[in-house]
Amino acid sequence: MKKWYESLFENYGQTYDKECFVQGTLGECDFIEQELAYDESLKIIDVGCGTGRHSIELTKRGYHVTGIDLSDSQLAWAGEKAKQSGLKIDFQKHDARALPFKGQFDAAIMLCGGGFPLMETDEMNFEILKSVTKALKNKGKLVFTTLNGLFPLYHSVKQVHESAGDQTSATFKSDTFDLMTFREHQKGVFEDDAGNKKELECNERFYVPSEITWLLKTLGYKRIDILGVKLGAFSRKDKLTTEDFEMLVVAEK
């Protein structure tokens, strides 16, 4: 039986690209370039690349990018978009928990979910971090976003979904946040590229900064910075607060 995140991304590429939360590609790539000191010789792996928006933009800017995703549909649309732009990008289908790479990349990005933290258990999420870390070279850099557990401690998660209702194709019928597991369980109704609606029971894990720091230190990262997230305007000047629904993590081995 397919997991909810596998079902979600079936025939959802074109609709996904219209969602409000994926409109910050240019600014996000600006930040990535800054973090890589504009060194176009570096090899980047884009984990959970989806429709390839970061892979394509970074390739346009001269970087060597390998895009990884679990969804055939998302990868197909990413490949079509790259072709339309006259680009050749290596898009591959892999489970992020078991990447077939070892010490091959200078940097890894996992943005807008990127697999982590969608897995059903904390152990599965940790396997993603382990697998991506293994794919990095010594002194490699990991840049990713994940759900900020400080937010639901101070706010209603439901309020966020209601406020975004007119900007996304998805609607949420119910949601509960479990303080014991920091998981949000909800029923979402999504519309695919053909206009078909599907109801899925979603399960996402929120993390507090200290958890992320501990997990990454366990994996050998020497420097870990956790920042706030502004769509399309990632910046080291934005400190993480309880108002940020997501956190931006930059870690160096």
Side-chain angles (χ1 to χ4, degrees):
M1 183 177 178
K2 291 185 177 180
K3 307 302 182 183
W4 71 267
Y5 45 84
E6 293 177 308
S7 297
L8 169 61
F9 292 110
E10 289 181 331
N11 196 30
Y12 181 48
Q14 296 179 53
T15 302
Y16 179 82
D17 279 343
K18 296 175 183 177
E19 300 284 18
C20 62
F21 51 81
V22 298
Q23 303 308 314
T25 305
L26 297 180
E28 290 157 10
C29 287
D30 288 344
F31 179 83
I32 294 168
E33 280 201 282
Q34 292 171 14
E35 289 299 315
L36 300 183
Y38 301 94
D39 186 348
E40 295 176 8
S41 70
L42 300 181
K43 295 179 63 178
I44 305 170
I45 182 171
D46 183 0
V47 181
C49 66
T51 63
R53 60 193 183 95
H54 296 103
S55 293
I56 290 171
E57 180 60 29
L58 289 169
T59 300
K60 286 180 179 178
R61 300 185 187 196
Y63 295 88
H64 306 272
V65 186
T66 298
I68 303 298
D69 206 275
L70 190 61
S71 167
D72 290 312
S73 174
Q74 298 286 85
L75 288 170
W77 179 233
E80 178 59 29
K81 285 164 58 181
K83 183 179 179 181
Q84 291 173 6
S85 297
L87 303 173
K88 290 186 178 180
I89 302 175
D90 185 14
F91 288 115
Q92 300 182 24
K93 179 180 179 178
H94 294 295
D95 187 321
R97 294 168 292 178
L99 297 174
F101 310 110
K102 184 175 181 180
Q104 293 179 228
F105 298 94
D106 301 285
I109 60 174
M110 289 193 298
L111 303 176
C112 198
F116 185 92
L118 306 181
M119 300 294 103
E120 300 92 300
T121 69
D122 291 356
E123 290 81 4
M124 290 180 183
N125 282 333
F126 187 50
E127 285 300 317
I128 290 179
L129 292 180
K130 285 172 59 179
S131 183
V132 173
T133 299
K134 186 180 72 172
L136 287 173
K137 297 177 182 178
N138 290 332
K139 298 185 179 180
K141 179 172 283 191
L142 170 61
V143 180
F144 71 100
T145 56
T146 190
L147 298 171
N148 176 22
L150 300 179
F151 186 95
L153 289 179
Y154 285 82
H155 305 273
S156 166
V157 176
K158 187 175 182 180
Q159 289 177 347
V160 177
H161 296 312
E162 290 174 345
S163 66
D166 58 349
Q167 303 178 64
T168 175
S169 65
T171 57
F172 297 88
K173 292 185 176 180
S174 63
D175 66 332
T176 59
F177 181 75
D178 189 335
L179 283 169
M180 294 300 293
T181 63
F182 268 60
R183 285 185 174 273
E184 180 191 5
H185 300 267
Q186 61 185 329
K187 291 182 180 179
V189 179
F190 301 85
E191 185 174 309
D192 66 16
D193 291 345
N196 300 313
K197 292 187 177 182
K198 61 179 77 172
E199 182 174 292
L200 301 173
E201 292 191 6
C202 311
N203 173 0
E204 296 178 289
R205 172 69 150 86
F206 285 69
Y207 285 87
V208 295
S210 57
E211 288 181 295
I212 293 296
T213 298
W214 183 84
L215 290 173
L216 293 175
K217 282 186 175 180
T218 299
L219 294 173
Y221 288 90
K222 302 296 190 298
R223 177 176 176 179
I224 303 159
D225 296 308
I226 300 179
L227 310 165
V229 171
K230 291 182 180 177
L231 179 65
F234 292 173
S235 172
R236 282 188 172 269
K237 295 180 181 179
D238 291 326
K239 302 304 179 184
L240 184 71
T241 73
T242 57
E243 300 302 311
D244 292 299
F245 192 64
E246 290 185 297
M247 66 176 82
L248 172 63
V249 184
V250 183
E252 297 180 54
K253 293 176 73 175

